[in-house]
Short mmCIF file of all heavy atoms in Angstrom, two decimals:
data_model
loop_
_atom_site.label_atom_id
_atom_site.label_comp_id
_atom_site.label_asym_id
_atom_site.label_seq_id
_atom_site.Cartn_x
_atom_site.Cartn_y
_atom_site.Cartn_z
N GLY A 1280 -24.75 -52.62 61.85
CA GLY A 1280 -23.96 -51.90 62.80
C GLY A 1280 -24.66 -50.82 63.60
O GLY A 1280 -24.12 -50.32 64.61
N GLY A 1281 -25.80 -50.45 63.20
CA GLY A 1281 -26.60 -49.46 63.97
C GLY A 1281 -26.08 -48.06 63.81
O GLY A 1281 -25.03 -47.75 63.15
N GLY A 1282 -26.71 -47.10 64.48
CA GLY A 1282 -26.29 -45.80 64.47
C GLY A 1282 -24.92 -45.57 64.96
O GLY A 1282 -24.14 -44.80 64.50
N LEU A 1283 -24.62 -46.29 66.03
CA LEU A 1283 -23.28 -46.11 66.65
C LEU A 1283 -22.13 -46.53 65.65
O LEU A 1283 -21.06 -45.83 65.61
CB LEU A 1283 -23.16 -46.91 67.89
CG LEU A 1283 -23.82 -46.36 69.12
CD1 LEU A 1283 -23.28 -47.01 70.37
CD2 LEU A 1283 -23.68 -44.89 69.19
N TRP A 1307 -26.75 -38.19 71.74
CA TRP A 1307 -26.36 -38.87 70.50
C TRP A 1307 -25.42 -38.14 69.65
O TRP A 1307 -24.47 -38.71 69.07
CB TRP A 1307 -27.65 -39.32 69.70
CG TRP A 1307 -28.40 -40.32 70.54
CD1 TRP A 1307 -29.59 -40.15 71.14
CD2 TRP A 1307 -27.94 -41.65 70.89
NE1 TRP A 1307 -29.88 -41.32 71.84
CE2 TRP A 1307 -28.97 -42.21 71.71
CE3 TRP A 1307 -26.80 -42.41 70.59
CZ2 TRP A 1307 -28.81 -43.54 72.26
CZ3 TRP A 1307 -26.71 -43.69 71.12
CH2 TRP A 1307 -27.71 -44.24 71.94
N CYS A 1353 -27.74 -34.23 64.86
CA CYS A 1353 -28.77 -35.26 65.13
C CYS A 1353 -30.13 -34.69 64.98
O CYS A 1353 -30.48 -33.79 65.81
CB CYS A 1353 -28.58 -35.88 66.51
SG CYS A 1353 -29.76 -37.14 66.95
N ASN A 1355 -33.06 -35.63 65.61
CA ASN A 1355 -33.96 -35.84 66.73
C ASN A 1355 -33.21 -36.52 67.88
O ASN A 1355 -32.82 -37.67 67.66
CB ASN A 1355 -35.20 -36.64 66.36
CG ASN A 1355 -36.20 -36.87 67.50
OD1 ASN A 1355 -36.81 -35.94 67.96
ND2 ASN A 1355 -36.25 -38.07 68.04
N THR A 1357 -33.10 -38.63 70.81
CA THR A 1357 -34.01 -39.62 71.40
C THR A 1357 -34.11 -39.48 72.91
O THR A 1357 -35.11 -39.73 73.51
CB THR A 1357 -33.50 -41.01 71.02
OG1 THR A 1357 -33.05 -40.96 69.64
CG2 THR A 1357 -34.60 -42.03 71.12
N ASP A 1381 -28.14 -37.61 61.61
CA ASP A 1381 -28.47 -38.92 62.32
C ASP A 1381 -30.00 -38.83 62.48
O ASP A 1381 -30.46 -38.13 63.35
CB ASP A 1381 -27.74 -39.00 63.56
CG ASP A 1381 -28.19 -40.18 64.41
OD1 ASP A 1381 -29.17 -40.92 64.00
OD2 ASP A 1381 -27.65 -40.42 65.56
N SER A 1383 -31.96 -41.43 63.16
CA SER A 1383 -32.36 -42.74 63.70
C SER A 1383 -33.80 -42.68 64.31
O SER A 1383 -34.55 -43.63 64.12
CB SER A 1383 -31.40 -43.13 64.85
OG SER A 1383 -30.15 -43.40 64.33
N SER A 1384 -34.08 -41.67 65.01
CA SER A 1384 -35.38 -41.66 65.80
C SER A 1384 -36.47 -40.76 65.18
O SER A 1384 -37.56 -40.62 65.82
CB SER A 1384 -35.13 -41.35 67.27
OG SER A 1384 -34.42 -40.14 67.37
N GLN A 1404 -34.59 -49.57 64.34
CA GLN A 1404 -35.41 -50.18 65.45
C GLN A 1404 -36.35 -49.25 66.11
O GLN A 1404 -36.89 -49.52 67.20
CB GLN A 1404 -34.50 -50.85 66.43
CG GLN A 1404 -33.63 -49.87 67.27
CD GLN A 1404 -32.25 -49.55 66.62
OE1 GLN A 1404 -32.17 -49.67 65.40
NE2 GLN A 1404 -31.32 -49.13 67.35
N LYS A 1405 -36.59 -48.05 65.51
CA LYS A 1405 -37.51 -47.10 66.14
C LYS A 1405 -38.69 -46.89 65.20
O LYS A 1405 -39.80 -47.29 65.52
CB LYS A 1405 -36.81 -45.78 66.47
CG LYS A 1405 -35.69 -46.03 67.44
CD LYS A 1405 -34.64 -44.89 67.41
CE LYS A 1405 -33.38 -45.30 68.15
NZ LYS A 1405 -33.60 -45.71 69.52
N1 PMP B 2229 -28.56 -42.23 67.25
C1 PMP B 2229 -29.78 -41.95 67.84
C2 PMP B 2229 -30.47 -40.66 67.59
C3 PMP B 2229 -30.32 -43.03 68.64
O1 PMP B 2229 -31.56 -42.79 69.22
C4 PMP B 2229 -29.69 -44.27 68.76
C5 PMP B 2229 -30.21 -45.36 69.61
N2 PMP B 2229 -31.15 -45.03 70.60
C6 PMP B 2229 -28.38 -44.35 68.18
C7 PMP B 2229 -27.97 -43.32 67.42
C8 PMP B 2229 -27.58 -45.61 68.38
O2 PMP B 2229 -28.17 -46.64 67.61
P1 PMP B 2229 -27.67 -48.12 67.66
O3 PMP B 2229 -27.99 -48.52 69.09
O4 PMP B 2229 -28.56 -48.71 66.65
O5 PMP B 2229 -26.26 -48.19 67.39
#
Side-chain angles (χ1 to χ4, degrees):
L1283 284 197
W1307 294 110
C1353 179
N1355 182 69
T1357 323
D1381 172 358
S1383 294
S1384 52
Q1404 69 272 24
K1405 297 159 195 303

